[in-house]
């Protein structure tokens, strides 16, 4: 998996001044791409079970499960899911919907061409539809060996 290509795909949903919430662990490449894409007025909040100290002051790292972020509802222009598993898929998509501002975007990436991906894609589509997401798109991120998932919130 090419972290730089995945980071570029995930960060492409952000714009200057955007508020981004990441549910799950992140790489340094992704954090840097998000900070760069949101600019000086943007906010990046990463919710992960075991956060490391923040190396970048423009990234707030919060110790939290991806299914229960201690963040106000409807504040995010973009929610990124980095730890999709079938076990807690419904809870994570419900949490993403709670955090998204109206018509906000959700993005995620899962490894392509694996048995897990083949089983997870229909489950992701079902969970996003059940959580009232619209315009669900799933496509391969060129050269990364990863499927990108994009959905528009209600």
């Amino acid at each position: 998996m090419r972290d730089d290509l995945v980071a570029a795909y995930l960060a492409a949903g952000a714009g200057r001044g955007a508020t981004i919430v990441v549910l799950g662990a992140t790489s340094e490449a992704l954090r840097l791409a998000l900070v760069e894409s949101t600019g000086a007025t943007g906010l990046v909040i990463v919710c992960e079970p075991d956060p490391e100290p923040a190396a970048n002051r423009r990234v707030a790292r919060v110790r939290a499960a991806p299914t229960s972020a201690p963040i106000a509802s409807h504040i995010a222009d973009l929610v990124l899911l980095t730890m999709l598993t079938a076990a807690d898929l419904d809870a994570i998509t419900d949490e993403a919907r709670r955090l998204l501002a109206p018509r906000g975007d959700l993005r995620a990436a899962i490894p392509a061409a694996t048995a897990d991906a083949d089983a997870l894609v229909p489950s992701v589509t079902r969970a996003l539809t059940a959580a009232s997401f619209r315009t669900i798109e799933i496509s391969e991120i060129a050269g990364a060996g990863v499927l990108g998932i994009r959905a528009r919130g209600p």
Side-chain angles (χ1 to χ4, degrees):
M1 176 167 59
R2 297 262 320 263
D3 277 351
D4 57 332
L5 296 175
V6 175
Y9 171 82
L10 294 173
R16 297 282 182 218
T19 297
I20 301 172
V21 175
V22 182
L23 299 178
T26 60
S27 66
E28 185 64 21
L30 177 57
R31 289 189 297 274
L32 290 174
L34 294 174
V35 165
E36 185 176 307
S37 67
T38 59
T41 58
L43 174 61
V44 178
I45 304 168
V46 178
C47 298
E48 55 190 334
D50 296 309
E52 299 172 6
N56 188 319
R57 293 183 320 174
R58 294 186 35 221
V59 176
R61 298 180 83 178
V62 178
R63 182 181 309 273
T67 55
S68 58
I71 300 170
S73 298
H74 311 298
I75 68 157
D77 301 301
L78 175 65
V79 172
L80 304 179
L81 306 179
T82 62
M83 297 171 61
L84 282 178
T85 63
D88 52 5
L89 190 56
D90 290 332
I92 289 175
T93 54
D94 286 345
E95 185 66 358
R97 181 171 185 249
R98 182 186 73 78
L99 294 169
L100 271 178
R103 301 192 46 81
D105 279 335
L106 173 139
R107 287 189 177 225
I110 57 175
T114 65
D116 289 342
D118 291 342
L120 195 54
V121 167
S123 297
V124 167
T125 303
R126 182 199 47 76
L128 291 172
T129 301
S132 300
F133 281 91
R134 301 168 190 198
T135 318
I136 301 166
E137 301 171 1
I138 300 175
S139 59
E140 188 169 345
I141 300 172
V146 171
L147 294 176
I149 299 167
R150 180 175 179 240
R152 175 65 51 122

